[in-house]
Amino acid sequence: MSHGIKLLLAFCEHETGFKEFLRLAPSADEFRTEAEKVVFGFVADHTSKFGAVPKWATVVEEGKKQDWGFVLPAANEAPEPPAYYHEKVIERRIHYSLKDAGQQLQNLLNNGNPLQALDFLSNTVQKLQLRQYQNQLMNYATDAAGVIKADLMQMALGTQLGLNFGWPYLDGMTGGLGPGDVVSIIGRPAQGKTFVLLYGAYHHWNVQQGIPLVISMEMRNTIITQRLAAMDSKIALTHIKTGQLAKKQYQSMMAKLQGNAGRQPFYIVDGRLATTVTQVKMLINQLKPSSVWIDGAYLMSHENKKLNRWEKVTDNAERLKGEIAEGLGLPTIISYQFNRMATQKKHGPPGVEDIAYTDAIGQLSSLVLGMMQEESIETMRKRTISILKGRSGEIGQFDINWSFKHPDAMNFSQWVEPTIAELSYM
C-alpha cells in the first residue's frame, strides 16, 4: 500500500482526520499513482460538498460502484495520524523529483552545458524547498477563499473550538489553543506553576473530553496523581497526602476515581521515561494524546551531550515548537522559570525578557503566562496570572482562586469578586 493511500485512509479514519485535512491542505500533485489521484479527488470533493471527510467504507463502496479498477486496503491499515503519512508523502515527492532532476542534470553535463546544468540544479533545489514548506506559504490572491472556507467549515461543525484552560478571561482572549500553539507558564520555584498546568490539563480532559499527556520533569507520578485526585474529588490535598481522610471522604473519593475507569485516557509520565524531545515524540506516537503538557521543561535532556544548559534549553524549545506543536499538530503547554534577577527588578514587574536560560522561549511561544506575586495573605486566597505575550500582542491579567481547604478545596477556577453577603459570611 502506497504512502498516498495510507495518508488518505488516515484522513478518513483517524479522529483528527478532518482537522488535519484542513490544516495540511494536501494538493493533487502530492499524489503520484493513478489510484492515489482518484481517491484524493473523491475525498476532496466529498469534504468540500459535505463539510466532513468521508468514512473509508464510503470510499471503498464508491470504488466498487464506479469500478475504479484497484483494490483498497482495510480501514485499520493506517494506524498513525495523518501528519505521519503526509511527511512520508512529502519525502517521496522530494525523492522522485531529485531522481528525475539527476537524469536531466546528467544529460546537460554530457552535452557540454555545465553552466546550464548549474542553473538547472539551483532552480530545482529552490523549487523543492518551496514545495516542502508550501503549508507555511500562502498566496492571498489564490488561496484566501479556500482558507476562509475551511475556517468557516470548522466553526459550523463546532471543531474550531480549541483547547481551553477553563478561565473565561483567557479562553475568550485566545479563542482556544490549536495545532502549532505553544503556551509557556513562567514563575519562580514554588509559585504554583504545576497546579496551574495541571488545572488546564484536567479541564481539557474533564470538560472537553481531550486526552492530555502530562510529563513532569520535577515530580514523580505519585505526587502528580495525588494532586489530580484532589482536584477531581474536591478533597484537600493535605488530607490525601497525609492519609487523614474521614470514612465518608475516602468512600466519596474512591467512588469518583474508580468511576473514571471507563473514560478517555489521561496520561501521566515520569520525566525519567521521556527526558528528550525524541523520547517525547515516541510516547506521542504510542499514546495518541490530543495535547502535551511538560512541567519543568528546562530540565529536559538532549542527545547532544556537548551542549551547555543554555544551548540545550534553546534547542529543546525550538524542537518542542517545530516537531511537536507544529509537526504533530498538538497544543503544547510548558512550564519554565524566571531568572533570579526577575525578583530584583526595580522598574516594573518581570516580563518575557526575564525568562531563564534563553530568549527563544518567549519568541517561540504563542502565549506566555507569568506568575510573579510575592507570598502574602492575599495570595493564600487567590493568585494573579499575567499575560506577558499573546498571539496578537494581547496583554492583561486575571485572578484565579487559590483554595486548598474545605469546603472549597482544590478550586483554581477564575476568581469572581465575592458579594457583600458572601463577605459577611466569610
Side-chain angles (χ1 to χ4, degrees):
M1 179 171 49
S2 69
H3 289 308
I5 293 295
K6 287 183 178 180
L7 172 61
L8 294 165
L9 171 51
F11 281 137
C12 293
E13 290 298 311
H14 198 273
E15 59 185 8
T16 63
F18 175 62
K19 183 168 64 175
E20 288 294 88
F21 187 86
L22 298 179
R23 182 178 75 88
L24 295 171
S27 58
D29 67 346
E30 294 179 20
F31 299 95
R32 187 173 179 84
T33 68
E34 184 61 28
E36 291 177 0
K37 293 181 183 296
V38 170
V39 176
F40 171 70
F42 176 75
V43 171
D45 289 344
H46 185 284
T47 304
S48 178
K49 184 176 181 180
F50 299 105
V53 289
K55 286 294 183 183
W56 191 247
T58 304
V59 178
V60 173
E61 181 182 350
E62 189 68 17
K64 294 178 180 178
K65 180 179 176 181
Q66 296 190 19
D67 192 19
W68 284 344
F70 49 84
V71 178
L72 291 170
N76 62 353
E77 292 188 37
E80 301 301 331
Y84 173 84
Y85 299 111
H86 188 256
E87 184 176 297
K88 298 297 182 184
V89 166
I90 296 300
E91 289 176 355
R92 181 186 66 177
R93 185 174 66 185
I94 293 173
H95 171 83
Y96 281 104
S97 296
L98 287 173
K99 189 174 181 180
D100 294 340
Q103 185 61 52
Q104 296 182 53
L105 185 66
Q106 190 64 48
N107 291 337
L108 288 170
L109 291 172
N110 290 340
N111 292 329
N113 297 310
L115 293 180
Q116 191 176 348
L118 179 61
D119 287 339
F120 172 76
L121 179 60
S122 178
N123 289 332
T124 299
V125 171
Q126 290 179 15
K127 287 178 181 178
L128 285 175
Q129 288 177 331
L130 192 62
R131 291 174 72 186
Q132 183 181 1
Y133 299 107
Q134 65 181 14
N135 288 327
Q136 286 76 47
L137 175 67
M138 181 184 128
N139 178 356
Y140 175 79
T142 58
D143 300 341
V147 171
I148 295 300
K149 181 179 179 180
D151 209 35
L152 292 174
M153 285 168 63
Q154 291 192 74
M155 287 189 282
L157 293 171
T159 57
Q160 183 69 22
L161 181 64
L163 182 151
N164 286 335
F165 277 87
W167 300 310
Y169 181 90
L170 182 64
D171 296 334
M173 178 182 288
T174 64
L177 307 178
D181 278 331
V182 172
V183 177
S184 295
I185 302 170
I186 318 295
R188 289 298 294 159
Q191 287 196 318
K193 300 186 298 298
T194 302
F195 277 115
V196 166
L197 184 140
L198 289 179
Y199 180 80
Y202 177 75
H203 183 272
H204 180 54
W205 176 75
N206 190 51
V207 177
Q208 295 189 292
Q209 284 76 56
I211 302 176
L213 169 62
V214 173
I215 303 172
S216 178
M217 311 304 298
E218 297 182 318
M219 299 180 184
R220 303 284 72 86
N221 284 357
T222 302
I223 299 175
I224 297 295
T225 301
Q226 288 174 342
R227 294 186 175 198
L228 286 170
M231 290 184 197
D232 203 16
S233 60
K234 310 300 181 189
I235 293 176
L237 177 61
T238 52
H239 290 182
I240 296 175
K241 289 168 61 177
T242 60
Q244 296 177 352
L245 291 167
K247 183 177 181 180
K248 286 186 177 180
Q249 281 185 315
Y250 175 78
Q251 291 174 339
S252 173
M253 179 182 70
M254 294 307 295
K256 182 69 176 70
L257 300 183
Q258 290 169 357
N260 291 331
R263 300 183 61 181
Q264 77 278 9
F266 187 137
Y267 295 114
I268 306 169
V269 176
D270 191 310
R272 292 173 295 185
L273 182 62
T275 62
T276 67
V277 175
T278 299
Q279 291 170 336
V280 172
K281 288 177 64 178
M282 291 172 61
L283 273 175
I284 291 170
N285 287 332
Q286 293 172 5
L287 301 176
K288 307 294 189 297
S290 57
S291 60
V292 178
W293 309 71
I294 302 177
D295 187 30
Y298 56 92
L299 294 174
M300 292 182 70
S301 301
H302 196 283
E303 290 86 351
N304 186 351
K305 303 302 181 183
K306 295 182 180 180
L307 297 182
N308 61 39
R309 170 165 279 195
W310 290 265
E311 293 170 332
K312 179 175 62 178
V313 174
T314 298
D315 193 66
N316 282 338
E318 291 173 347
R319 293 182 63 194
L320 288 171
K321 171 72 172 180
E323 298 180 26
I324 294 178
E326 293 181 339
L328 300 179
L330 293 174
T332 304
I333 298 85
I334 314 167
S335 75
Y336 294 99
Q337 290 189 350
F338 281 120
N339 58 41
R340 293 180 180 178
M341 299 302 294
T343 58
Q344 302 174 19
K345 289 184 72 170
K346 296 181 179 179
H347 304 289
V352 173
E353 69 279 5
D354 299 303
I355 299 174
Y357 302 114
T358 174
D359 292 336
I361 295 168
Q363 294 165 357
L364 295 168
S365 300
S366 311
L367 188 67
V368 179
L369 306 178
M371 301 183 69
M372 307 177 288
Q373 290 172 287
E374 296 289 338
E375 292 290 340
S376 66
I377 294 177
E378 183 67 12
T379 59
M380 294 175 65
R381 299 171 57 236
K382 64 179 181 178
R383 295 280 170 118
T384 298
I385 296 180
S386 297
I387 300 168
L388 304 181
K389 175 190 174 183
R391 280 200 203 92
S392 304
E394 305 95 335
I395 58 173
Q397 64 181 37
F398 61 98
D399 293 331
I400 62 172
N401 288 287
W402 202 250
S403 177
F404 289 83
K405 298 180 179 179
H406 184 77
D408 197 29
M410 309 310 294
N411 180 7
F412 307 109
S413 62
Q414 187 169 318
W415 172 271
V416 178
E417 290 295 333
T419 63
I420 295 177
E422 289 172 329
L423 285 172
S424 62
Y425 172 78
M426 294 168 64

